[in-house]
Amino acid sequence: MTQATAMMSAPDAKRFDGTTFGLYAATVFLWGVSWIGIRAQLGVVAPEMSVLWRFLLSAALMWGWVLVTGHQVRFALADHLRFAAVGCCLFSFNFISFYYGGLSVPSGLLSVVFSLASVFNLILSFVIFRQKVEPRVALGGVIGVAGIGLLFWPEITGAGFNAAALKGLGLCVMGTLFFCSGNMISTLVQRRGAPLLSATAWGMTYGCVVLLALNGLRGNAFVIEPTAKYIGSLLYLAIGASVLAFMSYLTLLRRLGAARAGYATVLFPIVALTVSTLIEGYVWTPLAGLGVVLALCGNVLVLRKPAAK
C-alpha cells in the first residue's frame, strides 16, 4: 500500500464516528496481520514466485474495481513509463526484499522496519522535491532509527552475532527504500492527474510483468504449494492486505485527511508484534521493548501535525 496516497487527498469530514473507527481498525488489522502471512509464504515456493501469484490476483481484482467504477484506462506513453517504475518499486522489488528478509527476521520486526517508511519518505522528499524538514521531524527520524538499532542490537554486536539476521535487516531496509522510491514516483504520477485506482492497477500489472521476467531468468518453477497454509495466506495477502486494506485506507483518507490517517503506519507494527509473539514465539527483551517504543515514538513525531500558532 502506498503512502503516496497520503499526499494527495482532501478530507470529506473531520469527524471520528463509528464508521471511521471501523475503517481505521480494519486498516490497522489488515496490514498488521499481513506480515505473518508473508512468513507463511516462505519455504517451498520461491519468494519471487509467491510475490507474482499475490499480485496477479491483486491486479485482477484491482482492474475489476477500475472497470466497474468507470475510471480512466488509457494513458500516454510517458505515464506508462512512470507506472512501470512504480510497479518495479512498489509491487515487485520491495516485496521480494521483504520476503527474503522474512527468512531470518520475525514477522513483527519486518513491520517495525517498514514503519520507518515515513522517515525515509521525508528524506527523499527533501532530496527530490526540496521539501523542508522541520527539526521535530529530524528528531523523530533519529529516534526511530535508534529504536531499530536497539531491536537488532544482539545481532549487531556481542558473542551472539547473527549474520543471517543482519542480512535480513539489510534486505528489509532495502525493501523499505524501494517502497519509498515508489512513493516519490507515485507523487509525480498523482501530480499529473492520473486517477489513483487506475495508476495502481497499471502499477500492479507492470509489477507482474517484472516478476514474470525475473522468475523466468532465475529458472523458478511456476508452482503453488498445495497446502491450506500457503493458499490461505496467498488469498489473504492478495485480497485482504492488498485490495481490502487499500479500499479501507482510501476511504479513511477522504474522511480524516492524510495527517490523521497516517497514524495507521504507527499502529500496525503493534498488531504485527503481538501476532508474532503469539504465533512465532518471538521473545521480548528489555532492549527490544525499548527499541519498539523508540521506533513508534519516532514515527509519531514525524507524522503528527505541529501545533497551530
Side-chain angles (χ1 to χ4, degrees):
M1 205 50 42
T2 71
Q3 288 186 350
T5 57
M7 301 179 183
M8 45 70 64
S9 63
D12 290 339
K14 290 292 185 180
R15 66 186 184 279
F16 202 97
D17 55 16
T19 300
T20 302
F21 178 81
L23 291 167
Y24 204 93
T27 302
V28 171
F29 176 80
L30 289 169
W31 283 350
V33 177
S34 68
W35 302 97
I36 199 71
I38 289 176
R39 291 275 294 184
Q41 294 272 283
L42 303 175
V44 176
V45 182
E48 299 93 340
M49 187 60 62
S50 290
V51 180
L52 174 61
W53 296 138
R54 172 179 179 174
F55 283 107
L56 279 174
L57 181 55
S58 295
L61 293 171
M62 192 64 70
W63 274 116
W65 188 9
V66 168
L67 296 176
V68 167
T69 54
H71 278 73
Q72 181 180 352
V73 174
R74 302 182 65 179
F75 295 90
L77 176 60
D79 291 319
H80 278 281
L81 293 176
R82 294 183 181 90
F83 297 156
V86 170
C88 289
C89 292
L90 291 183
F91 304 117
S92 54
F93 292 127
N94 69 315
F95 278 100
I96 291 173
S97 299
F98 273 104
Y99 274 56
Y100 274 106
L103 291 171
S104 56
V105 176
S107 63
L109 297 190
L110 292 177
S111 70
V112 177
V113 177
F114 180 73
S115 75
L116 290 183
S118 58
V119 177
F120 293 157
N121 272 343
L122 288 164
I123 295 173
L124 290 176
S125 294
F126 171 75
V127 173
I128 297 173
F129 301 118
R130 298 300 178 187
Q131 293 182 359
K132 182 180 178 181
V133 179
E134 300 175 10
R136 166 186 55 82
V137 172
L139 176 61
V142 171
I143 292 175
V145 171
I148 297 299
L150 287 179
L151 273 170
F152 286 87
W153 190 251
E155 286 76 33
I156 294 174
T157 186
F161 181 84
N162 188 328
L166 283 180
K167 179 182 178 181
L169 171 61
L171 287 168
C172 293
V173 171
M174 184 169 67
T176 305
L177 287 172
F178 271 124
F179 175 81
C180 295
S181 298
N183 284 342
M184 298 302 105
I185 303 169
S186 294
T187 300
L188 295 174
V189 170
Q190 300 307 318
R191 288 181 177 180
R192 288 177 60 86
L196 181 61
L197 291 180
S198 302
T200 302
W202 275 115
M204 285 185 176
T205 301
Y206 284 116
C208 289
V209 172
V210 171
L211 290 164
L212 186 64
L214 184 60
N215 278 286
L217 289 173
R218 292 181 60 86
N220 293 330
F222 284 75
V223 297
I224 293 179
E225 183 181 347
T227 63
K229 176 183 176 182
Y230 184 89
I231 295 175
S233 61
L234 176 63
L235 291 174
Y236 175 78
L237 290 170
I239 300 172
S242 297
V243 177
L244 294 181
F246 180 83
M247 293 173 67
S248 297
Y249 189 60
L250 184 61
T251 306
L252 195 64
L253 285 172
R254 288 199 300 265
R255 296 177 67 89
L256 289 182
R260 295 171 72 190
Y263 279 96
T265 63
V266 178
L267 293 177
F268 73 72
I270 298 175
V271 176
L273 284 166
T274 302
V275 173
S276 181
T277 301
L278 295 174
I279 295 179
E280 297 177 318
Y282 174 69
V283 179
W284 287 86
T285 65
L287 275 181
L290 179 60
V292 170
V293 171
L294 288 178
L296 297 180
C297 288
N299 276 281
V300 169
L301 279 174
V302 169
L303 292 172
R304 69 185 293 268
K305 293 178 68 175
K309 297 181 179 179

